[in-house]
Each structure stands twice: as structure tokens, then as C-alpha cells.
Amino acid sequence: RLAADAVKEKIVDAITRNLNVCELSSASNIIRLADLGCAVGSNTINAMQDVLEVIKNKCHSQCPSSKLPEFQVFFNDKTSNDFNTLFTSLPQQREYYSAGVPGSFHHRLFPQSSIHFAHCSYALHWLSKVPEELLDENSPAWNKGRIHYTNAAEEVVNAYASQFAKDMENFLNARAEEIVSGGMMVIIMPGIPYGMPYSHLTNGVMYDLMATIFMELANEQLITEAELDSFNLPIYSASSEEMVKLVDKNGHFSIKTVELTNPTSWLEGPIDIKAWTMHVRAAMEAMFSKHFRIEIIDEMFNRLIRRLFEFSDKVESGYKEKTQLFVILMRK
């Protein structure tokens, strides 16, 4: 939430400058918002409420004599998402109609030209699948002994980048069908300065240490090397230049903003390594548990905390980089 709040004022400015709410609501007097990759916590509810308030203010200022439109908010995530928990968290006194939309945002989710504002925060860095080459022993991209492209061979990095490009093309094509002409889409996701090795980032340090720990566990015969070699994190961070290239190639959206921001501008002092590791585990445990026994996951994270403290200098040196990609797109 704090990372997303770092660009809150930029979203306010983008809506105020670029969204023609009178035109968007003229057909049916309804404005529809969608949060893609909503998860179950309060972040999605707060984000949609913030956006809705800005659009309401824009309605009052841009078309003061018109009736305020009705609002509908769609909360989307994979079918395995706990929508029951999400809906019990919705405020009872809310100024919008709500609906859950299960399904992958890499495919169509809504009727044609039905969405006026789409929001996707910390979701697009998850690839739709692990690149197949990483698991092929005969491929130059076989990612033996690693769980990510951090410090991996160039072929591994290229496999990740290629999968992200395919996913983005599918994502943009789906949204192009769903978002009305003149509609807006906001994307917030982990990013990286162009040309910077992922190993220079704090997350890169962590993923490398995870791989080292899993290899230790394999050497101790607590897991097999085959278990390690068949597991890869489907996570990718794009640069601004990469995102611009993909959006331009797609051709359905005009770019209003693509920039890297600092997601930890609010953070003073060193990282709380224990708290950070707890957040990482909350986000990733379900993925690990499909592949490793729970006692192995416990041991890995216990060792990870100790190892992160040992490498605290590298951890601290990476987190202040501008590593949050902020994108504003308008449907042509």
C-alpha cells in the first residue's frame, strides 16, 4: 500500500488532466472501474475508493450541471482468489456497485468497450507461466541450480523477457477490447533501470540467497536437486524502455506516462529484514508449498533471515533505487 501511495498524486494528476468524464459517462451515465489482480486485502478497496473520489471531483468540475454518474467497480483476480474474504471487507456505505470477476487478466474479462478506467497494481510482474526452456535440460536456458534469472545465463534472462513480452501483448490486446476509446489504464509494478543487472536490486539479492539455501538443502539431502531445478519464480521486472517498446508495438494505447519511481520514499533508516521476509513469505508461500514440503519452506525462510542479515550491506544498497514502474495509458 505504501509503495502504491508513492504514485497516488501522479494518478490524481493524470485523471485530472486526461480523463474526459463527461464524454465517458454521456452514453449511459455509468462509469465502470476495474482493478486487475485485486487479491483479498484492503489495498484494492482503498485504491478504487481513491480513484473514484478523483473521478467524482472531475465530474463536479468538468460538468457541474450534469447529474453525477453511477459507478460500478469490478474486482478481478484468478479463480483461486478468496473473493468471500474480499467482499466481507467492502465498506457497507460505499458509493459504487461492486462485482467480482474471476479469471486471468491475460485474457478477456469484460464485454467490449465497457470499462472506463482500469487499474493494475503489483500484479503484472507475475508471468502467466514459467518459460518452458528453463526446465529443459537440453536448452541453453536450462536454469539449473537457480530459481530466478538473477545472475543467470543470458539465455535465461531472454526467456523471461520473451515470456513477459508475450504476456503483455495478450494483456494489452484484451484491455484494448474492453476499455472504451478515451479510457485510462494505470499500471504499477516492480521495474528496473535499463541495463542494470537484476542482482543489483534488493529482491535480486534475496532470490540469489534463496537459490543458495535450496542448494544447501539439496546437498544435505533434505530435497533433491531435481526438485530445485524444476522450480522457478515466474516474476519479471521490466524497464521503462522495455515497456514503451511493447506498448508502441501493440498500437492500441497512447502513452501518457512511463517512468521509474522510488517505492520506498517513505522509508527512513534500514530495512526491517524480518518484517520484509514475512511479507515476501505471505506473497510467495502458496507457490512454494506446491513444490516443497512445509518444513522445507520453514527452514528456507529461517535461513534466509539469517543470511540477509549477513548481506545487509547489499540489501541496503539496492532498495533506494527507482524500482517501481509507473505507467499511464490512454485507449486510442
Side-chain angles (χ1 to χ4, degrees), residues 126 147 202-203 206-207 210 233 235 271-288 297 300-301 304-305 308:
W126 294 101
I147 64 170
T202 300
N203 283 348
M206 178 180 64
Y207 298 155
M210 283 182 176
L233 292 169
I235 297 172
I271 292 177
D272 184 334
I273 288 177
K274 288 186 178 180
W276 176 44
T277 307
M278 180 181 68
H279 285 291
V280 170
R281 181 165 185 169
M284 295 185 176
E285 181 162 6
M287 186 166 42
F288 282 118
I297 300 171
M300 189 277 289
F301 276 105
L304 179 63
I305 292 174
L308 285 169

